[in-house]
């Protein structure tokens, strides 16, 4: 039976991930896009003209920055390479981080930049960035720039998860894993690939055939882990 790859990220990121997988995988595969989060902009009314730097822990934070009153060329501390690329295109002077918010905060603390900084993030966020910086004596303003509204699985995704063919599910965030778990149980043999142990913990409530953790918390490692799982499944005749 042809396995299904269900991608639950918002559409632009899911489409990019699907393109990377299909370009590298030669076996049979059915790809289903079923975003479990809808990104909704939140108006930014805080005056940010005096901040000395911005912290961006997602691509959506970069999008939110366009609606904020921020000086051009401002230093931008970015969670990873993809966010850094988008921030550079938006006119920021970027510093790329190690791939997760906690280690990004540690990097900022080690560099001791002048504050205040502003962390543009969603309603649902992890890592306690501003709290960690404040504890280290670095001023940081928390600003919500978008909401991540939970969505149900698409009909195609739900049908695949209740069918007999194997399903591979890359999960990038604890919130997405929690939303997915809330729509379980699933009848299909489900193989999950997660970005971090935090996502792994959130996915624990899902009935799984296998679970793989990416080597590092970034899109490249998630692609590699997903392809590895597909190869293992093919070798086992799943």
């Amino acid at each position: 039976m042809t396995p299904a790859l269900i991608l639950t990220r918002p559409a632009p990121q899911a489409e990019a991930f699907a393109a990377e997988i299909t370009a590298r995988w030669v076996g049979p595969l059915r790809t289903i896009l079923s975003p479990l989060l809808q990104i909704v902009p939140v108006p930014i009314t805080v005056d940010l003209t005096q901040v000395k730097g911005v912290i961006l822990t997602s691509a959506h934070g970069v999008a939110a920055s366009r609606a904020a009153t921020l000086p051009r060329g401002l230093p931008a501390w970015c969670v990873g390479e993809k966010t850094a690329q988008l921030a550079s295109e938006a006119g920021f002077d970027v510093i790329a981080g190690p791939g997760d918010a906690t280690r990004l905060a540690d990097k900022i603390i080690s560099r001791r930049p002048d504050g205040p900084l502003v962390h543009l993030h969603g309603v649902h966020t992890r890592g306690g960035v501003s709290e960690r910086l404040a504890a280290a004596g670095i001023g940081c303003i928390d600003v919500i720039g978008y909401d991540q509204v939970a969505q149900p699985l698409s009909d195609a995704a739900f049908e695949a998860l209740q069918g007999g063919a194997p399903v591979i599910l890359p999960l990038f965030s604890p919130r997405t894993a929690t939303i997915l778990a809330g729509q379980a149980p699933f009848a299909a043999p489900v193989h999950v690939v997660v970005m971090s142990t935090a996502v792994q913990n959130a996915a624990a409530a899902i009935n799984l055939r296998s679970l793989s953790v990416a080597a590092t918390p970034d899109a490249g490692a998630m692609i590699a882990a997903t392809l590895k799982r597909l190869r293992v499944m093919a070798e086992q005749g799943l």
Side-chain angles (χ1 to χ4, degrees):
M1 290 181 286
T2 299
L5 173 68
I6 298 179
L7 300 174
T8 59
R9 304 188 84 189
Q13 290 87 357
E15 290 166 359
F17 192 90
E20 291 284 351
I21 295 296
T22 54
R24 305 183 196 187
W25 179 248
V26 296
L29 185 65
R30 177 190 177 201
T31 301
I32 301 170
L33 271 59
S34 179
L36 292 182
L37 295 173
Q38 179 184 5
I39 305 302
V40 179
V42 172
I44 297 173
T45 59
V46 181
D47 181 5
L48 301 175
T49 55
Q50 301 304 312
V51 300
K52 302 294 182 60
V54 59
I55 302 169
L56 301 168
T57 47
S58 75
H60 308 301
V62 179
S65 73
R66 299 180 187 274
T69 307
L70 293 170
R72 295 288 295 177
L74 200 67
W77 299 85
C78 301
V79 69
E81 293 294 339
K82 181 60 178 179
T83 303
Q85 177 186 341
L86 294 172
S88 179
E89 293 169 0
F92 291 105
D93 180 13
V94 304
I95 305 99
D100 65 82
T102 299
R103 290 191 294 161
L104 176 61
D106 291 340
K107 182 171 184 174
I108 296 170
I109 291 168
S110 71
R111 298 284 186 89
R112 308 298 303 179
D114 292 334
L117 308 178
V118 58
H119 181 199
L120 284 174
H121 57 78
V123 171
H124 304 275
T125 189
R126 293 177 58 85
V129 172
S130 62
E131 292 85 352
R132 292 172 67 86
L133 297 185
I138 300 172
C140 183
I141 305 166
D142 263 321
V143 174
I144 293 173
Y146 57 94
D147 196 0
Q148 310 105 310
V149 181
Q151 303 293 301
L153 286 160
S154 68
D155 291 344
F158 189 78
E159 289 171 7
L161 284 162
Q162 299 302 347
V167 172
I168 184 165
L169 266 162
L171 297 175
F172 286 74
S173 72
R175 178 160 164 74
T176 302
T178 299
I179 293 168
L180 181 66
Q183 300 179 58
F186 306 124
V190 178
H191 302 265
V192 165
V193 177
V194 299
M195 181 175 262
S196 66
T197 54
V199 186
Q200 177 181 1
N201 293 338
I206 306 170
N207 50 311
L208 304 177
R209 184 65 58 89
S210 74
L211 187 142
S212 308
V213 182
T216 53
D218 55 67
M222 285 291 287
I223 291 167
T226 300
L227 290 168
K228 181 178 180 180
R229 174 47 52 187
L230 283 168
R231 287 193 294 270
V232 170
M233 291 164 60
E235 291 167 0
Q236 295 176 347
L238 298 178

